[in-house]
Coordinates of all heavy atoms in Angstrom, one line a residue:
M106 N 0.8 -1.2 0.0 CA 0.0 0.0 0.0 C 0.9 1.2 0.0 O 1.9 1.3 0.7 CB -0.9 0.0 1.2 CG -1.9 -1.1 1.3 SD -2.9 -0.7 2.7 CE -4.4 -1.3 2.0
D107 N 0.4 2.2 -0.7 CA 1.2 3.4 -0.7 C 0.7 4.4 0.4 O -0.4 4.2 0.9 CB 1.2 4.1 -2.1 CG -0.1 4.6 -2.5 OD1 -1.1 3.8 -2.2 OD2 -0.2 5.6 -3.1
R108 N 1.5 5.4 0.7 CA 1.2 6.2 1.9 C -0.1 7.1 1.7 O -0.7 7.5 2.6 CB 2.4 7.1 2.2 CG 3.5 6.4 2.6 CD 4.7 7.3 2.9 NE 5.4 6.7 4.0 CZ 6.1 7.4 4.9 NH1 6.1 8.7 4.8 NH2 6.7 6.8 5.9
V109 N -0.4 7.4 0.5 CA -1.5 8.3 0.2 C -2.8 7.7 0.7 O -3.7 8.3 1.3 CB -1.6 8.6 -1.3 CG1 -2.9 9.5 -1.6 CG2 -0.4 9.3 -1.8
T110 N -3.0 6.4 0.5 CA -4.2 5.8 1.0 C -4.3 5.6 2.5 O -5.4 5.6 3.1 CB -4.4 4.4 0.3 OG1 -3.3 3.6 0.6 CG2 -4.7 4.5 -1.2
L111 N -3.1 5.5 3.1 CA -3.1 5.3 4.6 C -3.5 6.6 5.3 O -4.1 6.6 6.3 CB -1.7 4.8 5.0 CG -1.3 3.4 4.6 CD1 0.1 3.2 5.1 CD2 -2.3 2.4 5.3
R112 N -3.1 7.8 4.7 CA -3.4 9.0 5.4 C -4.5 9.8 4.6 O -4.4 11.0 4.3 CB -2.1 9.9 5.4 CG -1.0 9.2 6.1 CD 0.0 10.1 6.5 NE -0.5 10.9 7.6 CZ 0.1 12.0 8.1 NH1 1.1 12.5 7.5 NH2 -0.4 12.6 9.1
S113 N -5.6 9.2 4.4 CA -6.7 9.8 3.6 C -7.4 10.8 4.4 O -8.0 11.8 3.9 CB -7.6 8.8 3.0 OG -8.2 8.0 4.1
K114 N -7.5 10.6 5.8 CA -8.2 11.5 6.6 C -7.2 12.5 7.3 O -6.1 12.1 7.7 CB -9.0 10.8 7.7 CG -10.1 10.0 7.2 CD -10.9 9.4 8.4 CE -12.1 8.6 7.9 NZ -12.8 8.1 9.1
P115 N -7.6 13.8 7.4 CA -6.7 14.7 8.1 C -6.7 14.4 9.6 O -7.6 13.8 10.1 CB -7.4 16.1 7.8 CG -8.8 15.8 7.4 CD -8.8 14.4 6.9
P116 N -5.7 14.9 10.3 CA -5.6 14.6 11.7 C -6.8 15.3 12.5 O -7.4 16.2 12.0 CB -4.3 15.3 12.1 CG -3.6 15.6 10.9 CD -4.5 15.6 9.8
F117 N -7.0 14.8 13.6 CA -8.2 15.3 14.4 C -8.0 16.8 14.7 O -9.0 17.5 14.6 CB -8.2 14.5 15.7 CG -9.4 14.9 16.6 CD1 -10.7 14.6 16.3 CD2 -9.1 15.7 17.8 CE1 -11.7 15.0 17.1 CE2 -10.2 16.1 18.6 CZ -11.5 15.7 18.3
R118 N -6.9 17.3 15.0 CA -6.7 18.7 15.4 C -7.0 19.6 14.2 O -7.6 20.6 14.3 CB -5.3 18.9 15.8 CG -4.9 18.4 17.1 CD -3.6 18.7 17.6 NE -3.3 18.1 18.8 CZ -2.1 17.7 19.2 NH1 -1.0 17.9 18.4 NH2 -1.9 17.1 20.4
L119 N -6.7 19.1 13.0 CA -7.0 19.9 11.8 C -8.5 20.0 11.6 O -9.0 21.1 11.3 CB -6.4 19.2 10.6 CG -6.5 20.0 9.2 CD1 -5.8 21.3 9.4 CD2 -5.9 19.2 8.1
I120 N -9.2 18.9 11.9 CA -10.7 19.0 11.8 C -11.2 20.0 12.8 O -12.1 20.8 12.5 CB -11.3 17.6 12.0 CG1 -10.9 16.6 10.8 CG2 -12.8 17.6 12.1 CD1 -11.2 15.2 11.1
E121 N -10.7 19.9 14.0 CA -11.2 20.9 15.1 C -10.9 22.3 14.7 O -11.7 23.2 14.9 CB -10.5 20.6 16.4 CG -11.0 19.3 17.1 CD -12.5 19.4 17.4 OE1 -13.0 20.4 17.9 OE2 -13.2 18.4 17.1
R122 N -9.8 22.6 14.1 CA -9.5 23.9 13.7 C -10.4 24.4 12.6 O -10.8 25.5 12.6 CB -8.0 24.0 13.2 CG -7.0 24.0 14.3 CD -5.6 24.1 13.7 NE -4.7 23.8 14.8 CZ -3.5 23.3 14.6 NH1 -3.1 23.1 13.3 NH2 -2.7 23.1 15.6
T123 N -10.8 23.5 11.7 CA -11.7 23.9 10.6 C -13.1 24.2 11.2 O -13.7 25.1 10.7 CB -11.8 22.9 9.5 OG1 -11.8 21.6 10.0 CG2 -10.6 23.0 8.5
K124 N -13.5 23.4 12.2 CA -14.8 23.7 12.8 C -14.8 25.1 13.5 O -15.7 25.8 13.4 CB -15.1 22.6 13.8 CG -15.6 21.3 13.2 CD -15.9 20.3 14.3 CE -16.3 19.0 13.7 NZ -16.6 18.0 14.8
Q125 N -13.7 25.4 14.2 CA -13.6 26.7 14.8 C -13.5 27.8 13.8 O -14.1 28.8 14.0 CB -12.3 26.7 15.7 CG -12.4 25.9 16.9 CD -11.1 25.8 17.7 OE1 -10.1 26.3 17.2 NE2 -11.1 25.1 18.8
K126 N -12.9 27.6 12.7 CA -12.8 28.6 11.7 C -14.2 28.9 11.1 O -14.5 30.0 10.9 CB -11.8 28.2 10.6 CG -11.5 29.2 9.6 CD -10.4 28.8 8.7 CE -10.1 29.9 7.7 NZ -9.0 29.5 6.8
R127 N -14.9 27.8 10.9 CA -16.3 28.0 10.4 C -17.2 28.8 11.3 O -17.9 29.6 10.9 CB -16.9 26.6 10.1 CG -16.4 26.0 8.9 CD -17.2 24.7 8.5 NE -16.4 24.0 7.5 CZ -16.3 22.7 7.5 NH1 -16.8 22.0 8.5 NH2 -15.6 22.1 6.6
E128 N -17.0 28.5 12.6 CA -17.8 29.3 13.6 C -17.4 30.8 13.6 O -18.3 31.6 13.7 CB -17.6 28.7 15.0 CG -18.2 27.4 15.2 CD -17.8 26.8 16.5 OE1 -17.2 27.4 17.4 OE2 -18.2 25.6 16.8
C129 N -16.1 31.0 13.4 CA -15.7 32.4 13.3 C -16.3 33.1 12.1 O -16.7 34.3 12.1 CB -14.2 32.5 13.3 SG -13.4 32.1 14.8
I130 N -16.3 32.4 11.0 CA -16.9 33.0 9.7 C -18.3 33.3 9.9 O -18.8 34.3 9.5 CB -16.6 32.0 8.5 CG1 -15.1 32.0 8.2 CG2 -17.4 32.5 7.3 CD1 -14.8 30.9 7.2
K131 N -19.1 32.4 10.6 CA -20.5 32.6 10.8 C -20.7 33.9 11.7 O -21.6 34.7 11.4 CB -21.1 31.4 11.5 CG -21.3 30.2 10.6 CD -22.0 29.1 11.4 CE -22.0 27.9 10.6 NZ -22.6 26.7 11.3
M132 N -19.8 34.1 12.7 CA -19.9 35.2 13.5 C -19.7 36.5 12.7 O -20.4 37.5 12.9 CB -18.9 35.2 14.7 CG -19.1 36.2 15.7 SD -18.0 36.1 17.1 CE -16.5 36.8 16.5
K133 N -18.7 36.5 11.8 CA -18.4 37.7 11.0 C -19.6 38.1 10.1 O -19.8 39.2 9.8 CB -17.2 37.5 10.2 CG -15.9 37.4 11.0 CD -14.7 37.3 10.1 CE -13.5 37.1 10.9 NZ -12.3 36.9 10.0
Q134 N -20.4 37.1 9.7 CA -21.5 37.4 8.7 C -22.8 37.9 9.4 O -23.7 38.1 8.8 CB -21.8 36.2 7.9 CG -20.6 35.9 7.0 CD -20.8 34.6 6.2 OE1 -21.8 33.8 6.5 NE2 -20.0 34.3 5.2
R135 N -22.8 38.0 10.7 CA -24.0 38.4 11.4 C -24.3 39.8 11.1 O -23.4 40.7 11.1 CB -23.7 38.2 12.9 CG -24.9 38.6 13.8 CD -24.6 38.2 15.2 NE -25.7 38.6 16.1 CZ -25.8 39.8 16.7 NH1 -24.9 40.7 16.5 NH2 -26.9 40.0 17.4
R136 N -25.5 40.1 10.9 CA -26.0 41.5 10.5 C -26.8 42.1 11.7 O -27.6 41.4 12.3 CB -26.9 41.5 9.3 CG -26.2 41.0 8.1 CD -25.3 42.0 7.5 NE -24.8 41.4 6.2 CZ -23.7 41.8 5.7 NH1 -23.0 42.7 6.3 NH2 -23.2 41.3 4.6
C137 N -26.5 43.3 12.1 CA -27.2 44.0 13.1 C -28.0 45.1 12.6 O -27.5 45.8 11.6 CB -26.2 44.5 14.2 SG -25.2 43.3 15.0
T138 N -29.1 45.4 13.1 CA -29.9 46.6 12.7 C -29.2 47.8 13.3 O -28.4 47.7 14.2 CB -31.3 46.5 13.1 OG1 -31.4 46.5 14.6 CG2 -32.0 45.2 12.6
V139 N -29.6 49.0 12.8 CA -29.1 50.2 13.3 C -29.4 50.4 14.8 O -28.6 50.8 15.6 CB -29.6 51.4 12.5 CG1 -29.2 52.7 13.1 CG2 -29.2 51.3 11.1
E140 N -30.6 50.0 15.2 CA -31.1 50.1 16.6 C -30.2 49.2 17.5 O -29.8 49.6 18.6 CB -32.6 49.7 16.7 CG -33.5 50.7 16.1 CD -33.7 50.6 14.6 OE1 -33.3 49.5 14.1 OE2 -34.2 51.5 14.0
E141 N -29.9 48.0 17.0 CA -29.1 47.1 17.8 C -27.7 47.6 18.0 O -27.1 47.6 19.1 CB -29.0 45.7 17.1 CG -30.2 44.9 17.2 CD -30.1 43.6 16.4 OE1 -29.4 43.5 15.4 OE2 -30.8 42.6 16.8
K142 N -27.1 48.2 16.9 CA -25.8 48.7 17.0 C -25.7 49.9 18.0 O -24.8 50.0 18.8 CB -25.3 49.3 15.6 CG -25.1 48.2 14.6 CD -24.8 48.7 13.3 CE -24.6 47.7 12.2 NZ -24.3 48.2 10.9
M143 N -26.8 50.8 17.9 CA -26.8 51.9 18.8 C -27.0 51.4 20.3 O -26.3 52.0 21.2 CB -28.0 52.8 18.5 CG -27.8 54.2 18.9 SD -28.9 55.3 18.0 CE -30.4 55.1 18.9
A144 N -27.8 50.4 20.5 CA -28.0 49.9 21.9 C -26.7 49.3 22.4 O -26.3 49.5 23.6 CB -29.1 48.8 21.8
I145 N -25.9 48.6 21.6 CA -24.6 48.0 22.0 C -23.6 49.1 22.4 O -23.0 49.0 23.4 CB -24.1 47.1 20.9 CG1 -25.0 45.8 20.7 CG2 -22.6 46.7 21.2 CD1 -24.6 45.0 19.5
V146 N -23.6 50.1 21.5 CA -22.6 51.2 21.8 C -23.0 51.9 23.1 O -22.2 52.2 24.0 CB -22.6 52.2 20.6 CG1 -21.9 53.5 21.0 CG2 -22.0 51.6 19.4
L147 N -24.3 52.2 23.3 CA -24.7 52.9 24.5 C -24.5 52.0 25.7 O -24.1 52.6 26.8 CB -26.2 53.3 24.4 CG -26.5 54.4 23.4 CD1 -28.0 54.6 23.2 CD2 -25.8 55.7 23.9
E148 N -24.7 50.8 25.6 CA -24.5 49.8 26.7 C -23.0 49.8 27.1 O -22.6 49.8 28.3 CB -24.9 48.4 26.3 CG -24.9 47.5 27.5 CD -25.4 46.1 27.1 OE1 -26.1 46.0 26.0 OE2 -25.1 45.1 27.8
G149 N -22.1 49.9 26.1 CA -20.7 49.9 26.3 C -20.3 51.2 27.0 O -19.3 51.3 27.8
I150 N -20.9 52.3 26.7 CA -20.6 53.6 27.3 C -21.1 53.7 28.7 O -20.4 54.2 29.6 CB -21.1 54.8 26.4 CG1 -20.4 54.8 25.1 CG2 -21.0 56.1 27.1 CD1 -21.0 55.8 24.1
K151 N -22.4 53.3 28.9 CA -23.0 53.4 30.2 C -22.5 52.4 31.3 O -22.3 52.8 32.4 CB -24.5 53.3 30.1 CG -25.2 54.4 29.4 CD -26.7 54.4 29.5 CE -27.2 53.1 28.9 NZ -28.7 53.1 28.9
D152 N -22.5 51.1 30.9 CA -22.2 50.1 31.9 C -20.8 50.0 32.3 O -19.9 50.5 31.7 CB -22.7 48.7 31.3 CG -24.2 48.6 31.2 OD1 -24.9 49.4 31.8 OD2 -24.6 47.6 30.6
S153 N -20.6 49.3 33.4 CA -19.3 49.2 34.0 C -18.7 47.8 33.5 O -17.6 47.4 33.9 CB -19.3 49.2 35.5 OG -20.1 48.2 36.0
K154 N -19.4 47.1 32.6 CA -18.8 45.9 32.0 C -17.6 46.2 31.2 O -17.5 47.2 30.6 CB -19.9 45.2 31.1 CG -21.0 44.5 31.7 CD -21.8 43.8 30.6 CE -23.1 43.4 31.1 NZ -24.0 42.9 30.1
S155 N -16.8 45.2 31.1 CA -15.6 45.3 30.2 C -16.1 45.2 28.7 O -17.1 44.6 28.5 CB -14.6 44.3 30.5 OG -15.0 43.0 30.1
I156 N -15.3 45.8 27.8 CA -15.7 45.7 26.4 C -15.7 44.2 25.9 O -16.5 43.8 25.1 CB -14.7 46.6 25.6 CG1 -14.9 48.0 26.0 CG2 -15.0 46.4 24.1 CD1 -16.3 48.6 25.8
A157 N -14.7 43.5 26.4 CA -14.6 42.1 26.0 C -15.9 41.3 26.4 O -16.4 40.5 25.6 CB -13.4 41.4 26.7
E158 N -16.4 41.5 27.6 CA -17.6 40.9 28.1 C -18.8 41.3 27.2 O -19.6 40.5 26.8 CB -17.9 41.3 29.5 CG -17.8 40.3 30.6 CD -18.2 40.9 31.9 OE1 -19.4 40.9 32.3 OE2 -17.2 41.3 32.6
L159 N -18.9 42.6 26.9 CA -20.0 43.1 26.1 C -20.0 42.5 24.7 O -21.0 42.1 24.2 CB -19.9 44.6 26.0 CG -20.9 45.3 25.2 CD1 -22.3 45.3 26.0 CD2 -20.5 46.8 25.0
C160 N -18.8 42.4 24.2 CA -18.7 41.8 22.8 C -19.0 40.3 22.8 O -19.6 39.9 21.8 CB -17.3 42.1 22.3 SG -16.9 43.8 22.0
R161 N -18.6 39.6 23.8 CA -18.9 38.2 23.9 C -20.4 38.0 24.0 O -21.0 37.1 23.4 CB -18.2 37.5 25.1 CG -16.9 37.0 24.8 CD -16.4 36.1 25.9 NE -16.3 36.8 27.2 CZ -15.3 37.4 27.6 NH1 -14.2 37.6 26.9 NH2 -15.3 38.0 28.8
Q162 N -21.1 38.9 24.8 CA -22.5 38.8 25.0 C -23.3 39.0 23.7 O -24.2 38.3 23.4 CB -22.9 39.8 26.1 CG -24.4 39.8 26.3 CD -24.8 40.9 27.3 OE1 -23.9 41.6 27.8 NE2 -26.0 41.1 27.5
H163 N -22.8 40.0 22.9 CA -23.5 40.3 21.7 C -22.9 39.7 20.4 O -23.4 39.9 19.3 CB -23.5 41.8 21.5 CG -24.3 42.6 22.5 ND1 -25.7 42.6 22.4 CD2 -24.0 43.3 23.6 CE1 -26.2 43.3 23.5 NE2 -25.2 43.7 24.2
K164 N -21.9 38.8 20.6 CA -21.2 38.1 19.6 C -20.7 39.0 18.5 O -21.0 38.8 17.3 CB -22.2 37.0 19.0 CG -22.6 36.0 20.0 CD -23.5 34.9 19.4 CE -23.9 34.0 20.5 NZ -24.9 33.0 20.1
I165 N -20.0 40.0 18.9 CA -19.3 40.9 17.9 C -17.9 41.0 18.3 O -17.5 40.7 19.4 CB -20.0 42.3 17.8 CG1 -19.9 43.0 19.2 CG2 -21.4 42.2 17.4 CD1 -20.2 44.5 19.1
S166 N -17.0 41.4 17.4 CA -15.6 41.6 17.7 C -15.4 42.9 18.4 O -16.2 43.9 18.3 CB -14.8 41.5 16.4 OG -15.0 42.7 15.6
Q167 N -14.3 43.0 19.1 CA -14.0 44.3 19.8 C -13.7 45.4 18.8 O -14.0 46.5 19.0 CB -12.8 44.1 20.8 CG -13.1 43.2 21.9 CD -12.0 43.1 22.9 OE1 -11.1 43.9 22.9 NE2 -12.0 42.1 23.8
T168 N -13.1 45.0 17.7 CA -12.8 46.0 16.7 C -14.1 46.6 16.1 O -14.2 47.8 15.9 CB -12.0 45.3 15.5 OG1 -10.9 44.7 16.0 CG2 -11.6 46.3 14.5
L169 N -15.1 45.8 15.9 CA -16.4 46.3 15.4 C -17.0 47.2 16.5 O -17.5 48.3 16.1 CB -17.3 45.1 15.1 CG -18.7 45.5 14.7 CD1 -18.7 46.4 13.4 CD2 -19.6 44.3 14.5
N170 N -16.9 46.8 17.7 CA -17.4 47.7 18.8 C -16.8 49.1 18.8 O -17.5 50.1 18.9 CB -17.3 47.0 20.1 CG -17.8 47.8 21.3 OD1 -19.0 48.3 21.2 ND2 -17.0 48.1 22.3
Y171 N -15.5 49.1 18.7 CA -14.8 50.4 18.7 C -15.1 51.2 17.5 O -15.2 52.4 17.6 CB -13.3 50.2 18.9 CG -12.9 49.7 20.2 CD1 -12.2 48.6 20.4 CD2 -13.2 50.5 21.4 CE1 -11.8 48.1 21.7 CE2 -12.9 50.1 22.6 CZ -12.1 48.9 22.8 OH -11.8 48.5 24.1
S172 N -15.2 50.6 16.3 CA -15.5 51.3 15.1 C -17.0 51.9 15.2 O -17.2 53.0 14.8 CB -15.3 50.5 13.9 OG -16.2 49.4 13.8
L173 N -17.9 51.1 15.7 CA -19.3 51.6 15.9 C -19.3 52.7 16.9 O -20.0 53.7 16.6 CB -20.2 50.5 16.4 CG -20.5 49.3 15.4 CD1 -21.3 48.2 16.1 CD2 -21.3 49.9 14.2
R174 N -18.5 52.6 17.9 CA -18.5 53.7 18.9 C -18.0 55.0 18.3 O -18.5 56.1 18.5 CB -17.7 53.3 20.1 CG -17.7 54.3 21.2 CD -16.6 54.1 22.2 NE -15.3 54.3 21.5 CZ -14.1 54.0 22.1 NH1 -14.0 53.5 23.3 NH2 -13.0 54.2 21.4
D175 N -16.9 54.9 17.5 CA -16.3 56.0 16.9 C -17.3 56.7 15.9 O -17.4 57.9 15.9 CB -15.0 55.7 16.2 CG -13.9 55.3 17.2 OD1 -14.0 55.6 18.4 OD2 -12.9 54.6 16.7
K176 N -18.0 55.9 15.1 CA -19.0 56.4 14.2 C -20.1 57.1 15.0 O -20.6 58.2 14.6 CB -19.5 55.3 13.3 CG -18.6 54.9 12.3 CD -19.2 53.7 11.5 CE -18.3 53.1 10.5 NZ -18.9 52.0 9.8
F177 N -20.5 56.5 16.0 CA -21.6 57.1 16.9 C -21.2 58.4 17.4 O -22.0 59.4 17.4 CB -21.9 56.1 18.0 CG -23.0 56.5 18.9 CD1 -24.4 56.4 18.5 CD2 -22.8 57.0 20.2 CE1 -25.4 56.8 19.4 CE2 -23.8 57.4 21.0 CZ -25.1 57.3 20.6
L178 N -20.0 58.5 18.0 CA -19.5 59.7 18.6 C -19.3 60.8 17.5 O -19.6 62.0 17.8 CB -18.3 59.5 19.4 CG -18.5 58.6 20.6 CD1 -17.1 58.3 21.3 CD2 -19.4 59.2 21.6
E179 N -18.8 60.4 16.3 CA -18.6 61.4 15.3 C -19.9 62.0 14.8 O -20.0 63.2 14.5 CB -17.9 60.7 14.1 CG -17.5 61.6 13.0 CD -16.5 62.6 13.3 OE1 -15.6 62.3 14.2 OE2 -16.5 63.7 12.8
C180 N -21.0 61.1 14.7 CA -22.3 61.6 14.3 C -22.8 62.6 15.3 O -23.5 63.6 15.0 CB -23.3 60.5 14.1 SG -22.9 59.5 12.6
G181 N -22.6 62.3 16.6 CA -23.0 63.2 17.7 C -22.3 64.5 17.6 O -22.9 65.6 17.8
K182 N -21.0 64.5 17.3 CA -20.3 65.7 17.1 C -20.8 66.6 16.0 O -20.9 67.8 16.1 CB -18.8 65.4 16.9 CG -17.9 66.6 17.0 CD -16.4 66.3 16.6 CE -15.8 65.1 17.2 NZ -14.4 64.8 16.7
L183 N -21.1 65.9 14.8 CA -21.6 66.6 13.7 C -23.0 67.2 13.9 O -23.3 68.3 13.5 CB -21.6 65.7 12.5 CG -20.3 65.2 11.9 CD1 -20.5 64.2 10.8 CD2 -19.5 66.4 11.4
A184 N -23.8 66.5 14.7 CA -25.1 67.0 15.0 C -25.0 68.2 15.9 O -25.8 69.2 15.8 CB -25.9 65.9 15.7
S185 N -24.1 68.2 16.8 CA -24.0 69.4 17.7 C -23.4 70.6 17.0 O -23.8 71.7 17.4 CB -23.1 69.0 18.9 OG -21.8 68.8 18.5
I186 N -22.6 70.4 16.0 CA -22.1 71.5 15.2 C -23.2 72.1 14.4 O -23.3 73.3 14.2 CB -20.9 71.0 14.3 CG1 -19.7 70.7 15.2 CG2 -20.5 72.1 13.3 CD1 -18.6 70.0 14.5
N187 N -24.1 71.3 13.8 CA -25.1 71.8 12.9 C -26.3 72.5 13.7 O -27.1 73.2 13.0 CB -25.7 70.6 12.1 CG -24.7 70.1 11.1 OD1 -23.8 70.8 10.7 ND2 -24.9 68.9 10.7
E188 N -26.3 72.4 15.0 CA -27.4 73.0 15.7 C -27.2 74.5 15.9 O -26.3 75.2 15.8 CB -27.6 72.4 17.1 CG -28.2 71.0 17.0 CD -28.4 70.4 18.4 OE1 -28.0 71.0 19.4 OE2 -29.0 69.4 18.4

């Protein structure tokens, strides 16, 4: 027998990594409404929870949370200038 037929299945760890990778991809494709995004940002500003806890709870990345917060604060700044 040649070696190719003996190693037809990938190792167990490789299978586990692909499962984890698929879960991460699913998390990235999640869509939030504008109201949900605003609620998450406000919760992060008001509450004493850590950002990591908040992101785990809402299944978003910390990078997304910070970018949403920055956009939210920028819009508030623009609204105060226009008044």
Side-chain angles (χ1 to χ4, degrees):
M106 296 188 142
D107 63 322
R108 292 181 147 210
V109 177
T110 55
L111 291 176
R112 300 197 76 194
S113 60
K114 290 185 178 181
F117 181 74
R118 290 183 183 150
L119 184 62
I120 293 170
E121 286 300 315
R122 286 184 191 147
T123 44
K124 285 181 183 178
Q125 290 172 356
K126 189 173 183 182
R127 286 187 191 137
E128 289 173 8
C129 292
I130 291 172
K131 287 179 186 177
M132 187 176 84
K133 288 181 184 177
Q134 294 176 349
R135 183 175 178 268
R136 301 280 183 204
C137 297
T138 63
V139 175
E140 290 82 15
E141 287 176 329
K142 291 175 184 177
M143 206 164 79
I145 291 169
V146 169
L147 288 173
E148 187 178 343
I150 293 172
K151 288 190 302 186
D152 287 349
S153 61
K154 282 186 197 175
S155 70
I156 296 299
E158 246 181 87
L159 181 72
C160 293
R161 273 193 301 272
Q162 179 184 355
H163 292 285
K164 296 180 182 174
I165 62 170
S166 68
Q167 290 185 21
T168 307
L169 177 61
N170 180 53
Y171 288 123
S172 65
L173 289 175
R174 184 196 65 188
D175 293 343
K176 287 179 187 177
F177 180 78
L178 294 174
E179 185 66 31
C180 289
K182 189 189 310 180
L183 292 174
S185 68
I186 292 172
N187 291 335
E188 288 182 354

